[in-house]
Amino acid sequence: MKALVFPGQGSQFVGMGKVLYDSRREIKDIMESANDILGFDILSIMFEGTDEDLKKTKVTQPAIFIHSVACVKAVDATGAQMVAGHSLGEFSALVANGVLSFEDGLRLVSKRALAMQAACDVNPSSMAAILGLNDEVVENVCSEIEGIVVPANYNCPGQLVISGETPAVEVAMLKLKEAGAKRALLLPVNGAFHSPLMQPAQEELAKAINETKFNKPIIPVYQNITTTAVIDPVEIKENLIKQLTGPVKWTQSVRNMIKDGANYFVEVGPGKTLQGLIKKIDSSVDTATAL
């Protein structure tokens, strides 16, 4: 059973999408429409910008979304029986399974990026990758620290990202090293994604999501918050809103997809990060890139 999976922030690279843009007229038209929707020339930044240009949240998130949806249009996505996306990738997954149009998806992604950036500017906050510990140990240490620091991304066994106020994250990193973590690395992001500090962004995004038409999906989406198959558009909306302040439970989602029959995962979008994570979750499944 084939599953399509869509990457999130961090998979961007200079030149992303150019091959897709040049491949077919219909893909070129879709990608060019993004400039009009966003109100700036994002394609030039994707194709010819600098790493620094691409790292800006208002650019990164729409760029990855555009690349991922263009990939869906360029490959044979038929035969897939489920979809999932890592954080931002959930929006791409919802276009692939018919819940959102490209235009509505891009508007929501842009709104999400701007709202997240604004929330980041309010409080000094950060994220850190913790390697080599059981999830329960990380959860327990975070719960004992003064200030806001929470598990944010359950990427694969032995790799959990924490998120929160910078002082609390730094204390957590020290305590987690003492608890036996192989490494504790600050990530090059400018805010505490998937933590309570994203509450202002969540409120803004919720308004936009509730004003957007969500169609009934053609195949289930395994959402970051629930980790299980969802087909009800109302529930999909609710989970998408909760995702901004809640953790990305990728390990649990992939395990549930495998339990429900997935044995072939196709990563749709820039990079190969998700393939690596999926292999660490269950080495028996097959993985591939869309292009």
Side-chain angles (χ1 to χ4, degrees):
M1 189 179 289
K2 181 161 77 172
L4 304 182
V5 292
F6 296 83
Q9 197 160 341
S11 58
Q12 69 275 4
F13 62 91
V14 175
M16 62 187 293
K18 186 66 168 68
V19 173
L20 288 163
Y21 180 83
D22 292 335
S23 66
R24 288 214 310 262
R25 181 74 222 184
E26 63 177 295
I27 294 173
K28 184 177 183 179
D29 290 343
I30 290 169
M31 293 180 75
E32 285 185 345
S33 72
N35 287 343
D36 295 329
I37 293 167
L38 295 174
F40 67 95
D41 190 355
I42 192 168
L43 296 185
S44 292
I45 301 172
M46 290 168 63
F47 300 162
E48 304 162 358
T50 65
D51 286 332
E52 283 305 308
D53 290 334
L54 273 178
K55 281 180 185 174
K56 294 172 184 172
T57 300
K58 79 165 192 174
V59 173
T60 308
Q61 294 192 21
I64 293 167
F65 173 84
I66 292 163
H67 188 289
S68 297
V69 174
C71 274
V72 173
K73 303 294 184 184
V75 302
D76 181 11
T78 57
Q81 292 176 276
M82 57 184 77
V83 295
H86 189 287
S87 187
L88 162 70
E90 199 158 273
F91 288 83
S92 309
L94 292 175
V95 175
N97 76 344
V99 171
L100 287 170
S101 67
F102 169 74
E103 295 79 8
D104 284 344
L106 182 56
R107 289 188 187 98
L108 288 178
V109 166
S110 178
K111 175 76 73 174
R112 179 183 190 264
L114 292 170
M116 288 173 76
Q117 184 60 58
C120 292
D121 293 340
V122 173
N123 287 311
S125 54
S126 51
M127 303 178 77
I130 310 301
L131 308 181
L133 282 180
N134 290 333
D135 293 346
E136 294 79 8
V137 175
V138 180
E139 290 165 352
N140 290 337
V141 169
C142 286
S143 70
E144 295 167 358
I145 290 170
E146 188 175 340
I148 297 173
V149 57
V150 295
N153 295 352
Y154 292 78
N155 286 333
C156 67
Q159 185 187 132
L160 204 167
V161 174
I162 61 174
S163 179
E165 296 166 333
T166 299
V169 170
E170 290 171 347
V171 171
M173 290 170 67
L174 290 173
K175 290 192 175 295
L176 289 164
K177 283 181 182 176
E178 291 170 2
K182 291 179 182 176
R183 301 183 78 185
L185 308 166
L186 273 176
L187 297 180
V189 297
N190 57 358
F193 304 154
H194 303 290
S195 82
L197 296 175
M198 288 291 111
Q199 183 67 38
Q202 184 182 59
E203 292 169 3
E204 193 167 335
L205 182 63
K207 185 174 184 295
I209 285 175
N210 286 323
E211 291 172 351
T212 301
K213 182 182 179 184
F214 277 49
N215 304 307
K216 189 172 178 61
I218 53 176
I219 53 177
V221 56
Y222 286 67
Q223 292 188 274
N224 294 171
I225 287 290
T226 61
T227 79
T228 53
V230 185
I231 57 171
D232 176 30
V234 174
E235 188 180 348
I236 289 171
K237 280 189 176 188
E238 292 171 354
N239 292 336
L240 204 56
I241 292 165
K242 290 175 185 175
Q243 188 221 69
L244 213 49
T245 56
V248 174
K249 297 178 181 176
W250 189 249
T251 301
Q252 300 90 321
S253 297
V254 170
R255 284 177 174 157
N256 281 333
M257 293 168 87
I258 293 168
K259 184 183 73 175
D260 291 347
N263 56 11
Y264 179 44
F265 289 81
V266 180
E267 185 164 1
V268 186
K272 299 180 180 180
T273 300
L274 297 184
Q275 289 181 78
L277 296 180
I278 290 166
K279 280 294 190 181
K280 288 175 182 174
I281 294 166
D282 189 331
S283 61
S284 71
V285 299
D286 293 324
T287 63
T289 52
L291 295 173

